[in-house]
Amino acid sequence: MRFYINTEHLRNEIEYPGRYKSQNLIKSSSLVFLVLVTFLLVFKPFGVYDPELKMHYFFICFLHAFAPALILFIYFTTLNYFRKVKNHTQWTLLKEYIHIGVLLVFIGATSFLMRDLLYTNSNNWSWHYLFEEIRNCFVAGIFFYFFLQLSSFYFESKKGSSFVLQFIPLAVKSEKKVLISNLFISTQVKQDDFFLDMDQLLFAKADGNYIELTKSNDLQMTTEVKRISLTQFETQITDYPHLFRCHRTYLVNMFKIEQVSGNSQGYELSFKETNIKIPVSRKQIDNFNSCYQELRNKHIA
């Protein structure tokens, strides 16, 4: 039997980050400019030989901060355009690191090309200074990248801003206990007993003493109403740890979740087969995260 588990750990694949989207690029570029110009003025991190300067050090810092901010804006504006044309929104950490690396090379090369404008030095066009500008750019750029990442994470978590986690399918290799796919469910009325294919279940919704079972078979959605309470149903599926009671009125199949969005006030679960969003109550967030982590540990062991 083969299951698919959807994982969010380490942000292996997520939606295109909001800080790189067009509406936020001006803010991001402005922040980069302000941080860089302040850092360069206050700390003078790289060697400065005053007799070589063609202009006041303040203006040199301004240009060295403005160029990266401008390149950042142009680079991701262009990238946004091509991603929109291709209708591609998925993002990975590897892609992010590659783009940041390319961006730093561009910024380093631009700093090298500006040397004749800023410094009086006969070796301005040497390979030595090209390597030095790119190296300095990587040293400063990597530091600022992770600093801004941590700062962004801190402030977003403080204000409870929303996030989106994209889940990656993983195959289940084996289980110590073989789970029956077609499970017999007993109700209070014998003639209402039924079999349920657990592989097809997306979620169950409570409706008084009834439940609505939403299932998917080859992307074909079906909903069935059964005469059993959600609590009674839950007691009969305890051998299936991937079926999780996420809300007072909802129980979900963790293996079918496509995406999670929300914040500390509550999550919303999305599925590939339907546009219906299933809530995870605030009180269940910690249990949801623990359930996910437990499932993940079992399937990567």
Side-chain angles (χ1 to χ4, degrees):
M1 181 167 58
R2 182 180 177 86
F3 292 101
Y4 292 93
I5 181 170
N6 303 301
T7 65
E8 42 111 351
H9 190 63
L10 295 181
R11 201 177 59 162
N12 284 326
E13 188 168 354
I14 60 177
E15 282 191 349
Y16 192 51
R19 62 187 175 278
Y20 299 138
K21 292 180 179 178
S22 300
Q23 62 269 30
N24 292 327
L25 274 175
I26 294 178
K27 293 181 180 179
S28 298
S29 300
S30 300
L31 178 61
V32 167
F33 169 76
L34 292 174
V35 171
L36 282 179
V37 75
T38 302
F39 182 78
L40 292 172
L41 285 170
V42 173
F43 295 103
K44 292 188 177 181
F46 306 112
V48 177
Y49 184 51
D50 290 339
E52 288 186 357
L53 304 185
K54 287 187 175 181
M55 60 183 72
H56 194 278
Y57 182 67
F58 172 82
F59 296 107
I60 291 178
C61 292
F62 178 91
L63 291 174
H64 274 303
F66 179 75
L70 180 62
I71 293 171
L72 171 70
F73 180 81
I74 294 174
Y75 183 88
F76 281 105
T77 298
T78 305
L79 184 62
N80 285 339
Y81 172 77
F82 286 107
R83 291 175 69 84
K84 186 176 181 180
V85 169
K86 294 181 180 180
N87 194 28
H88 183 62
T89 59
Q90 298 306 311
W91 191 252
T92 65
L93 278 178
L94 178 60
K95 288 180 181 178
E96 180 158 335
Y97 293 154
I98 290 174
H99 284 296
I100 293 299
V102 173
L103 185 67
L104 293 176
V105 170
F106 281 150
I107 294 173
T110 301
S111 297
F112 171 74
L113 295 175
M114 292 193 304
R115 288 192 61 84
D116 261 354
L117 176 66
L118 307 178
Y119 309 110
T120 302
N121 190 310
S122 59
N123 295 318
N124 276 340
W125 292 98
S126 67
W127 289 106
H128 167 74
Y129 278 120
L130 174 61
F131 170 77
E132 185 177 84
E133 292 290 354
I134 294 177
R135 181 203 63 190
N136 292 345
C137 188
F138 266 87
V139 171
I142 291 173
F143 169 78
F144 281 116
Y145 170 75
F146 285 106
F147 170 77
L148 293 174
Q149 288 281 72
L150 291 173
S151 300
S152 175
F153 175 79
Y154 172 77
F155 286 113
E156 287 179 5
S157 64
K158 292 290 285 185
K159 69 182 181 181
S161 61
S162 62
F163 62 89
V164 176
L165 301 171
Q166 187 73 29
F167 286 2
I168 306 296
L170 295 177
V172 176
K173 296 180 180 179
S174 63
E175 302 215 9
K176 294 180 180 179
K177 184 174 182 178
V178 178
L179 299 179
I180 301 172
S181 175
N182 206 28
L183 182 66
F184 178 77
I185 304 295
S186 60
T187 66
Q188 292 178 329
V189 181
K190 188 173 180 61
Q191 60 265 30
D192 290 334
D193 295 348
F194 62 97
F195 283 92
L196 176 62
D197 189 334
M198 309 304 284
D199 292 348
Q200 296 181 6
L201 180 65
L202 294 182
F203 57 86
K205 178 183 179 182
D207 186 9
N209 291 325
Y210 294 80
I211 59 172
E212 295 179 5
L213 300 174
T214 300
K215 301 184 293 182
S216 172
N217 185 13
D218 294 330
L219 301 183
Q220 295 297 317
M221 292 279 297
T222 59
T223 300
E224 298 178 354
V225 178
K226 298 297 183 181
R227 192 197 299 264
I228 183 175
S229 70
L230 188 58
T231 300
Q232 292 170 336
F233 176 71
E234 188 179 15
T235 61
Q236 299 185 53
I237 58 171
T238 54
D239 287 338
Y240 298 79
H242 59 284
L243 300 180
F244 176 75
R245 183 79 173 264
C246 63
H247 188 273
R248 178 173 54 86
T249 56
Y250 286 99
L251 181 147
V252 297
N253 185 343
M254 298 283 283
F255 291 169
K256 298 292 187 178
I257 298 170
E258 181 73 10
Q259 181 175 286
V260 176
S261 59
N263 53 41
S264 59
Q265 303 304 308
Y267 293 169
E268 279 193 342
L269 310 179
S270 302
F271 303 86
K272 182 186 299 183
E273 298 86 348
T274 177
N275 292 325
I276 298 174
K277 308 288 187 182
I278 303 300
V280 178
S281 65
R282 181 178 180 180
K283 291 190 292 187
Q284 285 292 78
I285 287 179
D286 288 341
N287 292 333
F288 178 87
N289 293 337
S290 297
C291 180
Y292 157 72
Q293 191 61 49
E294 183 179 349
L295 291 171
R296 180 180 182 275
N297 290 339
K298 286 182 179 179
H299 291 90
I300 65 175

